[in-house]
Amino acid sequence: MAFDFEKDFLVEKLKEIKPKKVLVQLPEGIKQNAFDLKKTFEDLGIEAIFSGESCWGGCAIAVTEAKDIGADLIVHFGHAKFIDSDFPILYIEVKDILNLEPILKKSLEKLKDYKIIGFSYSIQHRHDLDKIVKFYEDNGKTIILSEKLGNVAYEGHIVGCQYRGLKAIEDKVDAFVIMGNNFHSMGAVLSVNKPVILIDVYNDDVRKMEDERDKILKQRAISIQKFKDARKIGILTEIKPGQKFGAPKTLIEKFEKAGKEVVLITISEITPEKLMNFYSVDAFVELACPRIAIDDFAEYDRPIITFKEARVALGEMTWDELLERGIV
Ligand code: SF4
């Protein structure tokens, strides 16, 4: 697999912005490129310090870290802009250089029953979008890109916590095709009521996602029910600026009114180890990345639910309404 770090664009922007010191954020899969990238900054007389914190999405903007080291710019690789920030950030989206034709051909078999396709891609494939659309149109399909709604940066762009753009075109399409990885397509299948086909370029695989939907939904319903029975609640509020899903203050009031005791916990990067010692908490609601509760629930020894699910637990939304809106 080859990545294009868009160095010409990077250098052009750095010459324009003229930072003295930058904090560089790299997603996990490309942290290995730190030395190579360091040289690009050094050649321009810029001091580069690399963040060792995890960087799973464009939500993970390390503003506090950048200020702490006295950086005047964050250079964030591998994601598109996710939120506004008052700290200067340069996003380098990084292109995945692949020959997509074989896997697109392979996908036609799975798409034979569908004519109108809703298409979404993870950011590394944006540069191939025209070719992908042309391929499908040449093969008799009509492509509708998911809409640019919420925190996505472009029409067709997908992130793991925002599926409003897919919901918006759901009635117009026969099926969705997601080019990216299991994470993005899993979120899609939990959010839309149409078939979802994943083009997994990293494992050379094309597969329908429906099989996993029912299992996860059942797990979510159980977690909400267990949460309802809990008396002592921990509300987890993430300190990353891009992971603010829901207002803790309002939730505290509502849960206390419902007879629960509540403790508010700040956290960066929720893990089972960090929650373990809060022995007295019966269940958690996390206001960070919703995928932590949905995808990783099995790692936690107590129920953990999302903000949307908390609304169901409070009786503000029914389970059916949640499914209609999409659980992510
Ligand atoms: S909040 Fe979660 S799903 Fe959304 S961009 Fe961040 S890591 Fe990805």
Side-chain angles (χ1 to χ4, degrees):
M1 192 184 307
F3 289 113
D4 172 354
F5 284 83
E6 304 180 67
K7 283 197 185 161
D8 291 347
F9 175 71
L10 171 65
V11 169
E12 185 192 316
K13 284 288 172 192
L14 290 173
K15 283 183 177 167
E16 201 179 298
I17 302 168
K18 299 187 177 57
K20 289 191 172 51
K21 191 192 242 188
V22 298
L23 177 70
V24 183
Q25 289 192 272
L26 297 169
E28 307 319 296
I30 54 175
K31 278 195 164 72
Q32 60 189 320
N33 296 82
F35 278 103
D36 176 37
L37 290 167
K38 179 176 172 253
K39 185 158 183 340
T40 306
F41 291 104
E42 276 178 355
D43 288 349
L44 294 167
I46 300 165
E47 184 184 353
I49 298 180
F50 289 78
S51 171
E53 296 300 318
S54 55
C55 181
W56 301 111
C59 57
I61 299 304
V63 175
T64 312
E65 240 176 295
K67 286 182 180 167
D68 193 56
I69 60 159
D72 44 9
L73 178 72
I74 292 174
V75 183
H76 186 111
F77 284 90
H79 303 117
K81 183 182 168 187
F82 187 79
I83 51 158
D84 290 326
S85 170
D86 53 9
F87 194 90
I89 302 171
L90 172 60
Y91 292 89
I92 304 294
E93 294 171 357
V94 180
K95 297 172 182 165
D96 214 339
I97 306 303
L98 295 163
N99 173 15
L100 292 173
E101 202 168 326
I103 202 158
L104 287 173
K105 279 186 182 156
K106 196 168 169 178
S107 73
L108 291 175
E109 167 61 22
K110 291 269 189 310
L111 295 175
K112 63 180 186 311
D113 298 331
Y114 313 120
K115 165 97 176 89
I116 306 174
I117 306 297
F119 186 79
S120 304
Y121 58 88
S122 58
I123 199 67
Q124 274 65 55
H125 309 298
R126 180 168 175 249
H127 65 110
D128 278 325
L129 183 59
D130 290 348
K131 276 190 241 164
I132 296 165
V133 172
K134 184 172 182 316
F135 173 87
Y136 281 128
E137 286 179 350
D138 288 349
N139 282 280
K141 310 288 182 196
T142 300
I143 296 291
I144 302 179
L145 297 178
S146 50
E147 290 189 11
K148 181 185 173 312
L149 290 174
N151 295 350
V152 300
Y154 310 101
E155 202 183 28
H157 175 214
I158 195 167
V159 293
C161 51
Q162 182 57 262
Y163 291 91
R164 278 166 54 205
L166 282 77
K167 294 291 289 174
I169 61 165
E170 189 174 8
D171 291 343
K172 299 179 199 159
V173 305
D174 302 326
F176 284 92
V177 169
I178 312 295
M179 181 168 283
N181 56 31
N182 194 62
F183 181 70
H184 292 124
S185 55
M186 179 61 73
V189 84
L190 294 170
S191 304
V192 295
N193 292 305
K194 289 279 167 77
V196 173
I197 289 102
L198 165 64
I199 298 189
D200 181 347
V201 294
Y202 305 106
N203 295 299
D204 189 27
D205 191 20
V206 179
R207 61 182 180 275
K208 279 195 179 180
M209 297 295 295
E210 281 95 301
D211 293 351
E212 326 213 15
R213 179 184 159 92
D214 290 350
K215 198 172 91 194
I216 292 182
L217 291 181
K218 198 171 159 202
Q219 287 157 351
R220 298 322 303 150
I222 293 170
S223 290
I224 295 171
Q225 191 50 52
K226 284 187 179 162
F227 184 91
K228 279 186 189 170
D229 297 337
R231 205 175 64 76
K232 292 187 171 179
I233 300 301
I235 297 181
L236 303 169
T237 176
E238 169 62 73
I239 53 183
K240 289 189 196 99
Q243 288 195 18
K244 306 277 183 203
F245 294 83
K249 202 161 171 264
T250 326
L251 266 191
I252 293 172
E253 283 166 15
K254 288 176 179 171
F255 282 128
E256 285 182 343
K257 220 169 155 189
K260 295 189 190 294
E261 278 185 62
V262 184
V263 63
L264 182 62
I265 301 163
T266 63
I267 198 160
S268 176
E269 197 80 31
I270 300 172
T271 63
E273 292 73 27
K274 286 184 187 169
L275 301 190
M276 200 164 57
N277 290 330
F278 286 97
Y279 292 121
S280 50
V281 174
D282 299 324
F284 296 95
V285 51
E286 57 106 345
L287 306 182
C289 172
R291 302 299 296 273
I292 294 167
I294 295 169
D295 297 42
D296 302 338
F297 81 98
E299 293 173 22
Y300 294 84
D301 59 357
R302 280 154 288 172
I304 177 164
I305 65 171
T306 66
F307 174 67
K308 279 190 187 176
E309 291 168 342
R311 294 196 59 209
V312 175
L314 281 162
E316 293 181 349
M317 203 197 302
T318 64
W319 171 250
D320 287 342
E321 280 167 343
L322 177 65
L323 292 188
E324 186 52 39
R325 292 181 197 191
I327 70 162
V328 179

